[in-house]
């Protein structure tokens, strides 16, 4: 199982939200590239990034930051947040990003998802937010089955109720999804202890995103990486 330390970007800084609420934002670092380099030095191979401003309006205000991270580290970077065009996907991939995450646009515009997967293949992933057991975007009935049929390989599944709460991850949810669908699932939300990491690894998940717990010191990245070696 791969571990992806997370950098959420707002105003060119590393921030974290609680339950996805912009009103509950904490700034953790003024230099995202330095933070990324620190993650790499600790042993990380992947980095999960989100442009929170882009998620609001579909722009790419933090693109220069992502470009800098790709240029100055050897991390495999995935990026999400307001990516709503094929040109934006290409822009990120040209900058050195390994994987682009589609969110709302993938749920509301099936034709766009089809085109993106056809053109960019495994460099495209889909982010699915689940809240209180339901998918948080209307019209996503049989969502995961449709993603499989479209040829999507990687899905980042976020339990919004757990995000930023340091309350433990939703192991039952990821167990059900991993058993039901042949997808590379990445767990997101509430991963806050070595025990959480161990439980997700035992499920055979493809990956897990580590966020607030790294910044508060609740979870040590080096120890978490040791837990997933091999």
């Amino acid at each position: 199982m791969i571990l992806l330390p997370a950098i959420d970007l707002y105003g060119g800084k590393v921030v974290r939200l609680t339950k996805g609420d912009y009103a509950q934002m904490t700034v953790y670092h003024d230099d995202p590239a330095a933070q990324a380099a620190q993650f790499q030095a600790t042993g990380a191979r992947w980095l999960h990034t989100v442009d929170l401003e882009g998620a609001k309006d579909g722009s790419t205000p933090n693109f220069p930051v992502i470009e800098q991270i790709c240029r100055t580290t050897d991390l495999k970077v995935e990026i999400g947040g307001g990516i709503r065009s094929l040109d934006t996907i290409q822009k990120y991939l040209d900058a050195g990003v390994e994987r682009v995450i589609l969110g709302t646009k993938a749920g509301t515009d099936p034709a766009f998802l089809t085109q993106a997967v056809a053109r960019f293949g495994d460099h495209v992933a889909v982010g699915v937010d689940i809240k209180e057991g339901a998918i948080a975007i209307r019209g996503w009935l049989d969502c995961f089955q449709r993603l499989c049929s479209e040829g999507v390989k990687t899905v980042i599944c976020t339990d919004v109720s757990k995000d930023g709460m340091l309350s433990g991850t939703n192991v039952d949810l990821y167990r059900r999804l991993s058993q039901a669908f042949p997808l590379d699932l990445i767990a997101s939300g509430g991963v806050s202890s070595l025990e959480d990491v161990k439980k997700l690894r035992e499920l055979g998940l493809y990956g897990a995103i580590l966020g607030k717990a790294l910044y508060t010191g609740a979870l040590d990245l080096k120890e978490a990486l040791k837990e997933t070696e091999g």
Side-chain angles (χ1 to χ4, degrees):
M1 183 176 78
I2 65 170
L3 295 180
L4 302 94
I7 289 180
D8 289 358
L9 297 164
Y10 195 97
K13 298 180 180 181
V14 179
V15 305
R16 296 299 297 171
L17 305 182
T18 299
K19 292 187 176 181
D21 185 354
Y22 284 76
Q24 300 185 63
M25 181 186 299
T26 303
V27 176
Y28 282 105
H29 206 297
D30 290 334
D31 188 341
Q35 180 64 76
Q38 182 179 331
F39 286 147
Q40 178 177 305
T42 305
R45 295 180 294 109
W46 279 86
L47 181 71
H48 173 82
T49 62
V50 179
D51 187 331
L52 293 174
E53 290 165 287
K56 282 187 171 183
D57 58 18
S59 62
T60 58
N62 290 286
F63 176 79
V65 177
I66 297 298
E67 192 174 37
Q68 182 184 13
I69 291 172
C70 291
R71 186 177 65 251
T72 59
T73 75
D74 295 322
L75 293 165
K76 295 182 178 180
V77 177
E78 63 176 28
I79 173 71
I83 298 168
R84 302 170 189 173
S85 73
L86 298 178
D87 286 345
T88 300
I89 296 174
Q90 187 68 64
K91 178 180 177 180
Y92 275 121
L93 295 180
D94 287 345
V97 167
E98 177 68 22
R99 190 159 57 212
V100 172
I101 305 164
L102 306 180
T104 302
K105 181 75 169 177
T108 59
D109 189 344
F112 171 69
L113 177 60
T114 299
Q115 292 173 341
V117 173
R119 179 169 169 181
F120 302 109
D122 293 347
H123 292 292
V124 169
V126 173
V128 177
D129 291 347
I130 293 182
K131 187 175 183 180
E132 296 175 355
I135 295 172
I137 301 177
R138 292 181 181 178
W140 275 43
L141 298 175
D142 301 319
C143 165
F144 284 89
Q145 187 59 55
R146 183 170 70 82
L147 294 179
C148 290
S149 67
E150 288 285 355
V152 173
K153 180 180 179 182
T154 306
V155 173
I156 293 85
C157 182
T158 302
D159 183 343
V160 178
S161 67
K162 297 282 189 179
D163 194 28
M165 296 301 292
L166 300 178
S167 58
T169 192
N170 194 335
V171 176
D172 289 339
L173 168 66
Y174 297 119
R175 179 182 294 110
R176 293 198 302 270
L177 292 174
S178 65
Q179 291 174 346
F181 301 102
L183 294 163
D184 284 350
L185 286 173
I186 298 178
S188 175
V191 183
S192 54
S193 68
L194 280 176
E195 187 63 23
D196 286 335
V197 172
K198 181 179 180 180
K199 288 178 180 178
L200 293 173
R201 178 180 59 79
E202 290 173 347
L203 292 180
L205 292 195
Y206 167 68
I209 292 169
L210 309 180
K212 187 175 183 178
L214 294 181
Y215 295 99
T216 63
L219 180 61
D220 182 83
L221 179 57
K222 183 175 289 187
E223 292 301 315
L225 289 166
K226 286 180 181 178
E227 185 64 48
T228 59
E229 286 181 355

